[in-house]
Amino acid sequence: MKPIDAIKLSLTSTIRDALQIINNGAMQMAVVVDSEGKLLGTITDGDIRRGLLNNLRLEDSVETILHTTPTVATLSDTKEEILQKALTKKLHQIPIIDEEYRVLGIQEINDLIKPPTKPNMVVLMVGGLGSRLRPLTENTPKPMLKVGNKPILQTIVEKFAEYGFNEIVLCVNYKSHIIQDYFGDGSAFGVNITYIFEEERMGTAGALSLLTTLPNEPFFVMNGDLLTNINFEHLYNYHLSQNAMATMCVREYDFQVPYGVVNMEGNAILSIEEKPLHKFFVSAGIYMLDPEVIQYIPKNQFYDMPTLFETLIKKEQKAISFPIREYWLDIGQMEEYERANQEYAGVFQ
């Protein structure tokens, strides 16, 4: 067992406090206890994200997102019994309690059994022209531009490999030989890489119709020009826990109107808002899809991911969002490329 001192909260703690504990990376959860050390509930990354989507504030009490009926184990439970509880609920840690429901520690499931390499496919879209980054991309595909002394695509592949997602499919087009020559079959990077060749632009979803081996597990799709330290296992677990057909990572985007906005009814002025700030969620270019999604994608035609999600919604299939609060940068223009090089060492090293 591991001690709970670093992940312990009280009901007076805030969502921000829970966020800091989970971000520190010691464990993937926080525990809330009373003055006697009795377990009141747990908080996970998913609980925080759902709270933020429901417009809760970081300064709100943890009580607003507390899971009050967590799965627990006792000291008398055998290893097999603890594993069974964890596997049934897809848990990574389980609080260990005594007869008075006081928390004695946290059992890390990985300490009981080391999971095998995950079978989930990772499809990376790396065939773009990178026109807005010319002249850098005249002779180099955008995913092969170096940030932090290595190609953007290498950082992406290595981040997936950190979480055990080693089955990589690269959808290539523009100057694909450069990518193939660098990565080969992926063995030098500890992964297995296969390639899909787009003879013409198919779109983020359309390229999936070219898969020669169809996935039989939920799989990732991601644009190859992103830098992020998102926890891919959190995304995977969130997708499973929601029983979703498709999950889209979203990023909060703020836009401030540079003028006073006049609210009117007819010609009557009702109010004036001075330079209001509007907040939106935008697609972050990272997705988790169930294999059944592929049946909704037409063959041999351009089909982008927003269209796929619109189709799923019309078909009443469950399409959900996963808010990203970790580092994320879409390297689409020179300004973002320069920013990526400035920030890389502080985020990824």
Side-chain angles (χ1 to χ4, degrees):
M1 289 190 301
K2 294 186 176 180
I4 67 166
D5 294 342
I7 63 167
K8 185 168 60 175
L9 296 171
S10 67
L11 284 180
T12 60
S13 303
T14 65
I15 295 176
R16 185 185 299 278
D17 295 329
L19 186 61
Q20 289 175 341
I21 280 178
I22 294 176
N23 275 350
N24 285 340
M27 297 184 203
Q28 297 177 28
M29 68 186 305
V31 296
V32 179
V33 299
D34 66 13
S35 59
E36 298 178 359
K38 294 182 180 180
L39 182 65
L40 299 177
T42 59
I43 297 172
T44 65
D45 181 82
D47 296 325
I48 294 174
R49 293 181 195 273
R50 283 187 289 273
L52 295 178
L53 284 175
N54 287 327
N55 295 318
L56 294 178
R57 298 173 300 119
L58 289 177
E59 303 309 322
D60 287 339
S61 167
V62 292
E63 193 171 5
T64 58
I65 59 171
L66 187 63
H67 179 47
T68 57
T69 57
T71 299
V72 297
T74 67
L75 286 176
S76 61
D77 287 336
T78 66
K79 170 184 173 181
E80 289 72 23
E81 288 171 337
I82 295 175
L83 279 174
Q84 183 60 43
K85 290 181 179 182
L87 294 175
T88 299
K89 297 291 186 66
K90 297 182 175 63
L91 302 175
H92 296 282
Q93 301 105 358
I94 290 183
I96 306 298
I97 61 170
D98 65 11
E99 294 179 353
E100 302 298 324
Y101 221 76
R102 288 187 292 262
V103 186
L104 303 175
I106 302 294
Q107 178 62 65
E108 291 271 10
I109 303 307
N110 280 345
D111 291 342
L112 299 179
I113 181 173
K114 299 298 182 183
T117 299
K118 300 176 181 67
N120 309 82
M121 183 183 295
V122 177
V123 183
L124 301 177
M125 301 298 171
V126 294
L129 299 177
S131 302
R132 293 177 296 171
L133 280 171
R134 290 183 176 174
L136 296 179
T137 53
E138 286 182 354
N139 298 308
T140 304
K142 181 165 65 169
M144 295 301 293
L145 293 178
K146 287 190 175 181
V147 175
N149 295 319
K150 67 175 67 173
I152 299 167
L153 183 55
Q154 182 177 341
T155 296
I156 295 173
V157 169
E158 289 174 347
K159 292 300 292 183
F160 274 105
E162 283 182 17
Y163 293 97
F165 300 110
N166 298 335
E167 293 300 318
I168 311 292
V169 178
L170 301 181
C171 295
V172 296
N173 179 276
Y174 178 67
K175 298 189 181 298
S176 60
H177 66 281
I178 295 176
I179 295 175
Q180 284 184 281
D181 291 344
Y182 188 88
F183 286 98
D185 63 3
S187 57
F189 302 90
V191 298
N192 178 46
I193 294 180
T194 56
Y195 297 87
I196 290 178
F197 296 91
E198 295 183 64
E199 295 184 4
E200 56 185 51
R201 300 292 302 282
M202 298 288 290
T204 311
L208 300 177
S209 69
L210 303 177
L211 288 171
T212 54
T213 300
L214 296 180
N216 51 26
E217 298 281 349
F219 63 101
F220 298 88
V221 179
M222 178 172 167
N223 295 340
D225 56 359
L226 303 176
L227 281 180
T228 180
N229 62 357
I230 179 178
N231 186 318
F232 292 112
E233 193 164 16
H234 282 174
L235 170 57
Y236 172 59
N237 291 333
Y238 185 81
H239 175 84
L240 292 181
S241 69
Q242 298 297 305
N243 294 314
M245 178 71 76
T247 300
M248 174 189 292
C249 292
V250 296
R251 183 79 174 177
E252 190 174 272
Y253 177 79
D254 298 341
F255 172 74
Q256 186 164 29
V257 179
Y259 309 102
V261 173
V262 181
N263 298 311
M264 300 181 296
E265 184 175 309
N267 64 355
I269 297 176
L270 302 180
S271 63
I272 300 175
E273 297 178 73
E274 187 61 32
K275 299 180 180 179
L277 181 67
H278 296 280
K279 295 186 177 182
F280 309 90
F281 281 105
V282 298
S283 173
I286 308 170
Y287 313 90
M288 188 103 216
L289 307 175
D290 265 22
E292 292 82 359
V293 164
I294 294 178
Q295 66 182 302
Y296 295 97
I297 301 174
K299 293 185 179 296
N300 302 318
Q301 70 179 63
F302 183 90
Y303 203 70
D304 60 19
M305 197 62 75
T307 303
L308 173 59
F309 270 76
E310 289 171 356
T311 299
L312 293 175
I313 293 168
K314 289 179 182 177
K315 298 291 185 180
E316 298 185 345
Q317 299 297 329
K318 190 172 184 180
I320 65 172
S321 60
F322 180 82
I324 292 179
R325 48 179 175 72
E326 298 88 347
Y327 182 86
W328 176 92
L329 183 62
D330 178 0
I331 305 175
Q333 302 187 56
M334 193 65 69
E335 176 184 347
E336 290 142 353
Y337 179 66
E338 293 171 352
R339 176 183 165 191
N341 275 287
Q342 293 169 359
E343 297 176 343
Y344 187 90
V347 176
F348 297 99
Q349 294 178 356

